[in-house]
Amino acid sequence: MNFLDQIELNCQLLESPLYRRKNIKVTLVRADQVHRHISGNKWYKLKYALLAAKQKNIRQLISFGGAYSNHIHALAYAANQLQIPVLGFIRGEWTEDNLTLKDAKSWGMSLQSLTRSQYREKSSPEFLQQLALAYPNSMVIAEGGSGRLALKGVAELMAAIEQQLPYLNHLVAACGTGGTLAGLIGSASSTYSILGVPVLKGGGFLEADIKALLRQAAISEKCQWRLDLEGHYGGYGKVKTAHLEAMQRIESEHNVELEPIYTAKMWRRFDELVQADYFTAGDSIALLHSGGVQGRRSFKLMGIKE
């Protein structure tokens, strides 16, 4: 059996005075537990790209991410397990004590820095052509792992969620590049809605990106969905004291470990929406824990310990 098939998805019923008072049932989808290093949604987003690379005898994988990228971390480990060389282009500069990239290097990933202006051109035809010439017989995996094959993998996550939670009304997930949300939307039952919480300021553009991903994969929207743009709390990668305090309250109440960039922002925003009666009494709601807890190692504030 391929190691990419050896996973099990768990769900955790959440108890909270807030949820009881609002008469809603809330379940946490523990995608963070599917693998120690290929965490959460990254497992599903990378699965079919990695299998295709192996089947086609690709000489090298190439991808992109920030210095604390969960995607880069997961891809480095997975490529190591499949014995495929991998090159990571990293946005900006980083220090040698960066634990995410230290892990990636230990698993054999080659790292190159791109300036922020260069990084913005990573998807341009000119840049991709340069990569094709410099690295023949290589496969480029987009930032965050998003793409047509990612949607196929996320469809398996959606199927596992529906199997375990057949009476769901809403699914709530953090949103970065839109790949996970597109996969969920393209494979969900039509009987409930999906709420995406972009973790970057001005994330409204993700609606068009998500629809473009669905078109590229020749997949239609299977359910109602929308984006809530108030869950960025200052912007991508911005973590203020108030947010860390909110994250720690959630962790303490539910005995779960989060990371501050994605899952904590999604969950904080969800609780605000519950307080504001966004959901209806009797609703059954799932929150997707999309993993990435390795990223919290970079946040030594507020007494967060590893």
Side-chain angles (χ1 to χ4, degrees), residues 133-240:
L133 292 173
Y135 305 100
N137 193 30
S138 61
M139 174 187 285
V140 175
I141 298 178
E143 180 182 30
S146 294
R148 178 180 58 85
L149 293 175
L151 270 60
K152 183 178 179 181
V154 175
E156 294 183 357
L157 170 60
M158 189 73 255
I161 293 171
E162 292 189 331
Q163 182 179 17
Q164 294 197 41
L165 305 171
Y167 303 110
L168 209 57
N169 299 113
H170 303 274
L171 175 63
V172 185
C175 188
T177 60
T180 298
L181 213 66
L184 297 172
I185 292 165
S187 56
S189 165
S190 62
T191 59
Y192 61 91
S193 66
I194 293 177
L195 179 65
V197 181
V199 297
L200 61 164
K201 188 181 293 185
F205 70 90
L206 287 168
E207 182 173 347
D209 287 359
I210 289 165
K211 291 181 177 180
L213 283 168
L214 289 166
R215 285 196 301 273
Q216 291 165 13
I219 297 173
S220 61
E221 300 175 19
K222 300 296 194 302
C223 65
Q224 293 185 340
W225 66 280
R226 63 176 292 270
L227 301 178
D228 181 285
L229 304 182
E230 303 303 318
H232 59 81
Y233 302 107
Y236 184 77
K238 304 294 184 183
V239 180
K240 299 179 181 179

Side-chain angles (χ1 to χ4, degrees), residues 17-63:
L18 171 63
Y19 305 156
R20 287 196 297 271
R21 188 168 68 250
K22 298 296 184 177
N23 191 25
I24 58 175
K25 180 180 179 180
V26 184
T27 304
L28 184 64
V29 178
R30 300 301 305 265
D32 60 307
Q33 296 178 338
V34 299
H35 192 275
R36 180 181 177 187
H37 299 303
I38 314 173
S39 179
N41 61 338
K42 301 308 178 190
W43 180 286
Y44 298 93
K45 292 174 78 174
L46 289 171
K47 176 179 177 178
Y48 285 100
L50 292 169
L51 291 175
K54 196 68 176 175
Q55 291 164 1
K56 296 177 181 178
N57 293 315
I58 291 296
R59 182 181 300 175
Q60 184 174 45
L61 296 169
I62 300 172
S63 198

